[in-house]
Amino acid sequence: MTTISPIKIKKEIQPKEQHDIKKSVYLTKQLNLWYGDKHALKNIDLDIKEHEVTAIIGPSGCGKSTYIKTLNRMVELVPTVKTSGEILYRERNIFDSNYAVEELRTKVGMVFQKPNPFPKSIYDNVAYGPRIHGIKNKKILDEIVEKSLRGAAIWDEVKDRLNENAYSISGGQQQRICIARALAIEPDVILMDEPTSALDPISTLKIEELVQELKKDYSIIIVTHNMQQAARISDKTAFFLNGEVIEYDDTDVIFSNPSDKRTEDYISGRFG
Amino acid sequence: MAVVAPTSIILGVGSAIYLEEYAKKNRMTSFIRTNISNLAGVPSVVFGLLGLTIFVRALSLGNSVLAAGFTMSLLILPVIIVAAQEAIRAVPNELRDASLGMGATKWQTIVRIILPAAIPGILTGSILALSRAIGETAPLIVIGVPVIIQFLPAGVMDTFTALPMQIYDWSSRPQQEFQAVAAAGIIVLMAVLLTMNSIAALIRNKFQKRY
Ligand SMILES: Nc1ncnc2c1ncn2[C@@H]1O[C@H](COP(=O)(O)OP(=O)(O)O)[C@@H](O)[C@H]1O
Ligand SMILES: [Mg+2]
């Protein structure tokens, strides 16, 4: 018998076990993406499971935002973008010519780096999604708004000021309004691109707790350049470097026993 | 005014939406963009000649309210397009992203998010442009609008005149009474202009950047 290090064993067994219980939400196969001539994503293969928090870490400019914006095809708003490869969302290739982006984005909500509420009332912000999808009934809208605001853990703070402009509340509260707005369309997946980077520590903590709550009902993919945050809140972590996935594994493995030297250097703060 | 305002605002905002949100950014569209700004600086007499050729002669509208209204719309259209383009461009991309990211179509995003956010800028620009139209006379002289009329025009096909021309005519007459009428005309013109410009300023202040 040769000696196998405990890390290796864990790596070989765990993915197999999880395959049986958890389904994939996103299966990325050989994804490449170019901004004009710039090759921003290189041969990405990732299997993202449902009801998990998947963190994407890496130094800035490594393609984290590009990758999650590809998951809901927002990246195509940049006219020079070209892609190759496949991303299967619930077994369907999102690049299929007959896959309407609006349909995909109704299933996949997004929360951005900087809180970006609409210059409307808190109520109208949260009701925006249901309204564009044709819900007019005031009673139903009221219910969705309350449910979404509760889901985003901000109902108690804003229930008496639903008609105030969303810019009248703090940045941390605005970000939770944005989360509520995303919840209102009852998505399946929530993409978050550094959602706390513009927030103070207390608001950050609230969002982190919220993410833990939300993963019961949603699959969450979160970009962060704060490694403690990734370690605290995620189940899986993917480490990106120069447009490539260097390592993708359970978060505790990545942070305690990374198998790639570059991952180790990054998480121990040697670069980035 | 009843002709100029709707024509120029609808066409102007429509063109601005197309240029900012739909048109691809290539040589052709940047050429068009630059030239719209250039048009805004073309002397008004030239627009008068254009109006004379197109509306008065080719479409045989004669020297009516309609012909003059269309001519004036042409004159201020570039100004409105530029103002609307700027207002639309000032709407942060984050808002577009937020809306598109929820599965809204481009059109829903324009109607529900971009236009409401851009309307203060569009209105301010339009009102300032319209108040320029009120004071303009050169294009009207060119299309052959009579300098003075004694009766109110009854419909859009009637001949008419513009206030500044009336004033000019009145004030150059020898009789005392006309001096007084001219003065009254000037006050009316001033009051209208000041009111429009203050409305523009009010709108601008009320809706000052909320994002
Ligand atoms: N719109 C764009 N046009 C051209 N290059 C871009 C664009 N957006 C991002 N890039 C490039 O793609 C790379 C990845 O960017 P990004 O995904 O934003 O990185 P991250 O989010 O990890 O900081 C960077 O080198 C960046 O310069
Ligand atoms: Mg980024």
Side-chain angles (χ1 to χ4, degrees):
Chain A
M1 281 292 281
T2 49
T3 52
I4 304 172
S5 73
I7 322 138
K8 283 261 171 60
I9 296 172
K10 199 176 174 190
K11 277 194 74 176
E12 271 160 23
I13 295 169
Q14 212 154 8
K16 282 205 194 92
E17 281 178 352
Q18 295 208 333
H19 254 303
D20 299 334
I21 13 173
K22 285 190 168 154
K23 283 197 271 180
S24 300
V25 262
Y26 269 115
L27 193 56
T28 305
K29 294 182 185 168
Q30 287 298 302
L31 173 73
N32 281 281
L33 183 143
W34 293 264
Y35 290 108
D37 292 333
K38 174 154 178 57
H39 199 176
L41 295 177
K42 300 167 189 160
N43 299 322
I44 309 274
D45 282 304
L46 277 184
D47 183 359
I48 295 172
K49 301 292 184 192
E50 64 178 8
H51 298 300
E52 285 195 340
V53 177
T54 305
I56 295 175
I57 61 168
S60 61
C62 68
K64 306 180 295 293
S65 300
T66 303
Y67 179 66
I68 74 163
K69 281 190 292 177
T70 311
L71 295 178
N72 64 352
R73 293 180 56 185
M74 289 290 281
V75 78
E76 290 168 22
L77 294 177
V78 179
T80 55
V81 161
K82 296 265 175 326
T83 54
S84 75
E86 289 190 336
I87 296 180
L88 302 183
Y89 164 67
R90 301 264 180 212
E91 281 148 27
R92 197 168 153 208
N93 187 1
I94 63 168
F95 298 124
D96 266 356
S97 53
N98 60 359
Y99 205 142
V101 281
E102 290 82 17
E103 186 191 339
L104 176 68
R105 291 175 190 159
T106 307
K107 298 269 176 50
V108 182
M110 186 156 199
V111 177
F112 299 81
Q113 188 160 355
K114 202 176 131 230
N116 59 353
F118 300 126
K120 297 172 182 284
S121 70
I122 293 172
Y123 184 98
D124 288 341
N125 262 278
V126 182
Y128 182 75
R131 280 183 178 142
I132 58 172
H133 293 108
I135 299 177
K136 293 205 184 76
N137 185 310
K138 177 89 173 81
K139 245 183 94 193
I140 298 177
L141 284 175
D142 285 349
E143 276 167 26
I144 297 177
V145 168
E146 177 169 348
K147 186 165 160 242
S148 309
L149 287 168
R150 284 187 190 281
I154 191 162
W155 171 252
D156 292 328
E157 288 159 64
V158 299
K159 62 170 186 254
D160 301 320
R161 43 200 299 200
L162 293 177
N163 292 319
E164 280 177 40
N165 192 287
Y167 283 84
S168 64
I169 56 182
S170 77
Q173 290 174 319
Q174 288 177 20
Q175 192 63 307
R176 276 180 287 147
I177 294 295
C178 293
I179 295 177
R181 183 177 64 186
L183 296 183
I185 51 173
E186 302 194 331
D188 172 32
V189 183
I190 304 172
L191 308 174
M192 299 182 164
D193 190 353
E194 305 196 20
T196 61
S197 66
L199 306 182
D200 59 274
I202 293 172
S203 309
T204 299
L205 198 68
K206 283 201 176 133
I207 303 252
E208 288 183 8
E209 285 168 2
L210 178 58
V211 167
Q212 293 303 311
E213 257 329 284
L214 292 175
K215 86 176 204 192
K216 291 177 195 140
D217 301 308
Y218 309 90
S219 312
I220 297 172
I221 302 167
I222 181 168
V223 169
T224 170
H225 61 209
N226 175 339
M227 279 166 294
Q228 287 77 15
Q229 181 169 69
R232 276 194 299 268
I233 65 175
S234 69
D235 302 297
K236 290 264 175 50
T237 297
F239 171 56
F240 276 56
L241 188 63
N242 297 327
E244 287 176 272
V245 178
I246 302 299
E247 198 168 347
Y248 175 50
D249 212 323
D250 289 341
T251 298
D252 18 326
V253 177
I254 294 274
F255 283 93
S256 56
N257 282 302
S259 54
D260 196 290
K261 179 77 170 59
R262 290 166 291 179
T263 316
E264 198 181 328
D265 285 351
Y266 181 70
I267 59 168
S268 57
R270 242 163 286 175
F271 67 93
Chain B
M1 274 291 274
V3 177
V4 179
T7 325
S8 57
I9 294 178
I10 291 171
L11 279 178
V13 175
S15 319
I17 290 175
Y18 176 75
L19 285 173
E20 285 304 310
E21 300 290 329
Y22 286 96
K24 293 218 170 58
K25 312 267 184 270
N26 57 23
R27 281 247 192 96
M28 185 64 192
T29 48
S30 75
F31 177 78
I32 293 177
R33 270 170 245 259
T34 325
N35 278 290
I36 288 174
S37 319
N38 288 343
L39 278 180
V42 167
S44 47
V45 186
V46 178
F47 281 98
L49 289 172
L50 187 66
L52 179 67
T53 325
I54 300 180
F55 301 123
V56 181
R57 303 256 166 87
L59 300 178
S60 34
L61 293 175
N63 51 1
S64 59
V65 173
L66 207 55
F70 285 157
T71 308
M72 281 301 199
S73 305
L74 271 190
L75 172 69
I76 62 172
L77 194 55
V79 183
I80 292 185
I81 295 179
V82 171
Q85 272 184 296
E86 257 151 37
I88 289 173
R89 217 176 300 145
V91 178
N93 267 328
E94 286 84 37
L95 298 185
R96 291 184 178 79
D97 290 348
S99 172
L100 295 172
M102 305 193 66
T105 59
K106 194 161 187 172
W107 181 242
Q108 286 172 322
T109 305
I110 292 171
V111 173
R112 290 168 187 248
I113 302 298
I114 298 177
L115 282 184
I119 259 172
I122 293 174
L123 279 185
T124 316
S126 305
I127 293 175
L128 293 179
L130 284 173
S131 55
R132 176 178 167 203
I134 290 189
E136 277 292 348
T137 44
L140 299 183
I141 295 176
V142 175
I143 64 173
V145 166
V147 170
I148 187 156
I149 51 161
Q150 317 292 353
F151 304 99
L152 280 174
V156 289
M157 296 309 288
D158 261 5
T159 63
F160 73 106
T161 189
L163 201 43
M165 290 163 74
Q166 285 275 35
I167 293 170
Y168 178 75
D169 185 83
W170 281 333
S171 62
S172 56
R173 293 187 181 212
Q175 298 93 326
Q176 266 311 123
E177 293 84 346
F178 280 110
Q179 301 295 320
V181 184
I186 291 170
I187 291 171
V188 170
L189 188 61
M190 285 280 288
V192 172
L193 284 178
L194 283 177
T195 315
M196 287 176 66
N197 290 353
S198 344
I199 291 174
L202 271 181
I203 294 176
R204 194 169 37 211
N205 292 343
K206 182 158 179 341
F207 292 95
Q208 214 127 46
K209 290 260 175 305
R210 288 219 224 87
Y211 31 78

